[in-house]
Amino acid sequence: MKETKINDAIIGLKQLNEPILGSISFNKPVNQNTVITIKTSNMTIQAPIAQIKLVVFKLDAETFGFIFQNKFFYDKKDFETWNQDTKRLASHELERNF
């Protein structure tokens, strides 16, 4: 198994009312039983991947990545819009992850 880690992300979980800012890691290959680990500045959460509503992160200097419904998506076309929106939500510009 290979671990994937996204260091700077906005994470929405089904059990939380508000999104949180932190890192997320999981082992690949991913399936419905995969457990994710989320680390924030003051807590660590382990939960099944099915608990993710949405993860938003900066994939590289021109692309935002998303995890939604256990699938990975990316968007280059709307980079500036996502960059402004995530900067407002996270109070900083998200760091590139890959």
Side-chain angles (χ1 to χ4, degrees):
M1 283 194 228
K2 182 178 177 182
E3 183 181 62
T4 297
K5 185 171 184 181
I6 299 167
N7 291 311
D8 193 12
I10 298 170
I11 306 146
L13 292 175
K14 291 178 181 175
Q15 67 265 38
L16 299 176
N17 293 330
E18 298 289 324
I20 56 177
L21 181 66
S23 68
I24 182 170
S25 59
F26 51 89
N27 289 322
K28 294 187 340 186
V30 176
N31 61 44
Q32 69 271 15
N33 299 319
T34 298
V35 174
I36 57 167
T37 301
I38 299 168
K39 292 185 180 180
T40 69
S41 59
N42 59 356
M43 68 177 148
T44 299
I45 301 169
Q46 288 194 309
I49 199 162
Q51 292 299 310
I52 291 178
K53 288 197 288 192
L54 177 67
V55 176
V56 180
F57 56 97
K58 193 180 284 186
L59 190 61
D60 59 33
E62 301 173 348
T63 312
F64 270 86
F66 310 90
I67 299 173
F68 178 69
Q69 294 182 342
N70 301 340
K71 295 180 181 138
F72 171 78
F73 301 94
Y74 67 93
D75 184 1
K76 286 186 175 212
K77 184 178 72 169
D78 299 316
F79 178 84
E80 285 304 320
T81 301
W82 281 108
N83 202 40
Q84 289 173 6
D85 290 345
T86 57
K87 186 176 180 180
R88 184 176 39 80
L89 285 169
S91 298
H92 71 277
E93 191 169 302
L94 294 180
E95 299 292 323
R96 293 183 288 167
N97 281 281
F98 300 101

